[in-house]
Amino acid sequence: MQVKVINHPLIQHKLTLIRDKNTGPKEFRELLEEVAMLMGYELTRDLPLEEIEIETPVTKCTCKTLSGKKIGIVPILRAGLGMVSGFLRLIPAAKVGHVGVYRDPQTLKPVEYYCKLPTDVAERDFVVIDPMLATGGSSVAAISLLKQKGAKNIKLMCLVAAPEGIHLVNEQHPDVEVYTASVDERLNDHGYIVPGLGDAGDRIFGTK
Ligand code: PRP
Ligand code: URA
């Protein structure tokens, strides 16, 4: 099972608050945004740097700057939207694509209903974002769609992952690194992650 678990204490603390059923939508959204930013920090560790000449108030110097690699982030609708603003605070120049996939409640199979990506897909590195990786069907479908459109370099960022979902992504897309804050125990009979955090979309948007 190939997965990078981000164990940072701040992320783990915030994840516990997110999981708590007494955390309401306002706090849930704020925490998710904060965690997305902290996870994004880890995900972007390998961004290339280059050197430029600048002048500080004291002297000229050679300093490091991002080398301008083009980044795209792709939230899976709906719940992925809750992690977009946190990531964009780190990389404001990232372009945002959207993939709409929902899980059929009976079959648990993904149903695609929307796709809008930046025009220069082949030139960008992508991060697919969804708080929940359960069966893995939705993420695998979104990644497949991105690849069909020409994306070559893709990472998956999910807050909570079930072992089943990680296995499916590893199997179908072995080139995609999975980043998560927690590998939970299992899925229940309804395909919910245990212990999980419930329905992420409903908790973000206050629906049910
Ligand atoms: C949730 C979640 C993931 C998906 C995970 O979305 O946000 O996209 O389920 O499950 P999977 O790994 O088994 O595919 P949902 O289908 O509830 O749609 P929503 O975000 O619109 O609520
Ligand atoms: N989608 C969710 O929102 N939560 C789960 O536990 C599984 C799928």
Side-chain angles (χ1 to χ4, degrees), residues 35-107:
V35 165
M37 189 164 66
L38 293 167
M39 290 183 74
Y41 175 80
E42 282 299 322
L43 239 92
T44 49
R45 261 192 193 284
D46 58 355
L47 278 181
L49 293 168
E50 63 187 14
E51 293 192 329
I52 57 167
E53 299 289 324
I54 62 159
E55 229 174 299
T56 75
V58 180
T59 183
K60 286 185 177 171
C61 69
T62 306
C63 295
K64 295 184 198 324
T65 185
L66 289 172
S67 78
K69 185 171 254 312
K70 291 180 170 180
I71 305 292
I73 61 173
V74 179
I76 301 179
L77 305 178
R78 294 176 294 171
L81 292 175
M83 299 180 86
V84 169
S85 55
F87 200 94
L88 281 179
R89 285 174 72 181
L90 289 181
I91 309 190
K95 292 266 168 76
V96 185
H98 293 87
V99 170
V101 183
Y102 72 86
R103 213 168 65 144
D104 182 288
Q106 258 75 50
T107 64

Side-chain angles (χ1 to χ4, degrees), residues 75-142:
I76 301 179
L77 305 178
R78 294 176 294 171
L81 292 175
M83 299 180 86
V84 169
S85 55
F87 200 94
L88 281 179
R89 285 174 72 181
L90 289 181
I91 309 190
K95 292 266 168 76
V96 185
H98 293 87
V99 170
V101 183
Y102 72 86
R103 213 168 65 144
D104 182 288
Q106 258 75 50
T107 64
L108 301 184
K109 297 287 176 219
V111 182
E112 293 167 26
Y113 61 91
Y114 186 75
C115 179
K116 179 78 180 175
L117 299 175
T119 48
D120 52 356
V121 172
E123 294 161 36
R124 289 188 182 269
D125 286 359
F126 282 93
V127 182
V128 172
I129 298 179
D130 194 322
M132 309 309 280
L133 180 67
T135 65
S138 304
S139 290
V140 164

